[in-house]
Amino acid sequence: MSVIARPSTLQDAFDALDALPDAHLLAGGTDFMVEVNFGHRRPPAVVAIRRVPQLQGYEIRADEVDIGAAVTWTTIERELAGELPALAAAARTVGSPQMRNAATIGGNIATASPAGDGLPVLLAADATVVLASRQGERTVPFAGFVTGVKRTVLRPGEIITRVRVPRLTGPQEFLKVGTRNAMVISICCAALLVDRVGRTVRIGLGSVAPTPVRAPEAESYIGAEIDWDALFAPPEAVARFGELVRDAVRPITDHRGTAAYRSRAVQVIATRALERSLA
Amino acid sequence: MSDPDGGRGVSDALHDPTTADSRGGQRYPGSDGARDLPLETYVLSVNGRDLPVDDAWVGENLLYVLRERLGQPGSKNACEQGECGSCSVLMDGAVVASCCVLAADAVGSAITTVEGLTGEGELSDVQRAFIDQGAVQCGFCIPGMIVALTDLLDRSPGASELEMREAISGNLCRCTGYGRIFAAFRQVQQERAHARA
């Protein structure tokens, strides 16, 4: 029996997962293949889902963009910068052009790396994730989807089909610290989204905790300090925002950077992102 | 179809994932002696030809299959983690790192390697420009550079300096010969612009 399935419908994908219960779900492969190439993973079976139509394409709606899980970062970078500026900016920092042409938003979510570039944006945007299984469909907030380092609430037999990202009115920034601009896993990153209608500032942070995190105290503090009509905040409030973001993270020391460096760097990029977003 | 590797005579040992090869790079789980690996048989469309892949381990990457099974050694293997770009190929018209593509999932996709950019024995304008500009030092990164820059020149003929640099941001030249690679790119841009005029 073949141990790879290449389903072209969602039903075929569920059938394949029934037939190959040990199968690894494969989208773009850019995370998975590195593990396989280095012998860290030995897939007994693979269900390759990139051909499933329910995972394709995106739909721009009035209040959100509904993105198929198999949409690549190249597509998001090139086609969604107007609707989702921070997500498009994050897309541009994912790996290299070669990676972005293969790697998908659904794969980024499913891998759930602490350094996943798209994840802080989805967290800050209050995105939701649509999961499909034989039993039906459920929609879960992205906040809470990632439960730990490379751990998610995804159940056996479930497939991420869509990612729904709310559209906001206001400036957005994505900043990433690494050793070069291209082809780098972040030492830390920050997505800052201003919602001028809801009068909130949201910040999502990557590589500074086991999962992407928000900084709720920093967000509510700066939300109250901003003059929303002028979109202005005094410099000392902006600086305080950076300190509160720093205090919200729990970074570790690893081969990419020390905990102390990450705390400092995340403070700097949070402050800078806010400065760039305000008048 | 009967002679997929062009008579290069890829050794039988390399066809057998359970005999762990050291040359292809990919570390096979069979290197610990396991012989229970399920094997797959499929067909890939490479440079316009349908090539059979027989009895391959499901975890094989596209680069390995191209080089060791299908006799297409133009794509190079250096990092096997998508960092270096020396294995760049076009898959359905998009540049990808073939080391990070599961070969068995590339079924149905049109794959173009550096060998397929021109006819046998011919040089493309991009390849010719690399020679003209002396852009090749050790040469190891060059097939990937050629594929990535060919894609950019076809997709965006008037690409800016920044776009060019970004297009090869995932292609590393350890000889650091970027200046002449950029010069080769500009030469092709000028030649093509002249040809269009």
Side-chain angles (χ1 to χ4, degrees), chain B residues 44-51 66 72 90 109-118:
Chain B
L44 294 182
S45 170
V46 180
N47 299 329
R49 290 197 301 160
D50 286 340
L51 305 181
L66 288 169
Q72 305 288 319
L90 297 172
S109 289
I111 298 154
T112 304
T113 70
V114 69
E115 291 97 334
L117 294 177
T118 60

Side-chain angles (χ1 to χ4, degrees), chain B residues 75-123:
Chain B
S75 311
K76 299 299 181 229
N77 176 21
C79 75
E80 280 208 313
Q81 50 186 309
E83 298 264 354
C84 77
S86 60
C87 68
S88 297
V89 302
L90 297 172
M91 191 165 153
D92 294 328
V95 189
V96 297
S98 59
C99 74
C100 288
V101 174
L102 186 79
D105 185 38
V107 171
S109 289
I111 298 154
T112 304
T113 70
V114 69
E115 291 97 334
L117 294 177
T118 60
E120 183 75 37
E122 298 168 9
L123 291 177

Side-chain angles (χ1 to χ4, degrees), chain B residues 23-60:
Chain B
R23 200 181 79 187
Q26 193 172 23
R27 295 174 204 183
Y28 282 91
S31 60
D32 58 11
R35 291 202 162 259
D36 58 346
L37 292 173
L39 301 177
E40 294 293 323
T41 292
Y42 50 91
V43 175
L44 294 182
S45 170
V46 180
N47 299 329
R49 290 197 301 160
D50 286 340
L51 305 181
V53 178
D54 296 325
D55 299 328
W57 175 50
V58 71
E60 288 178 22

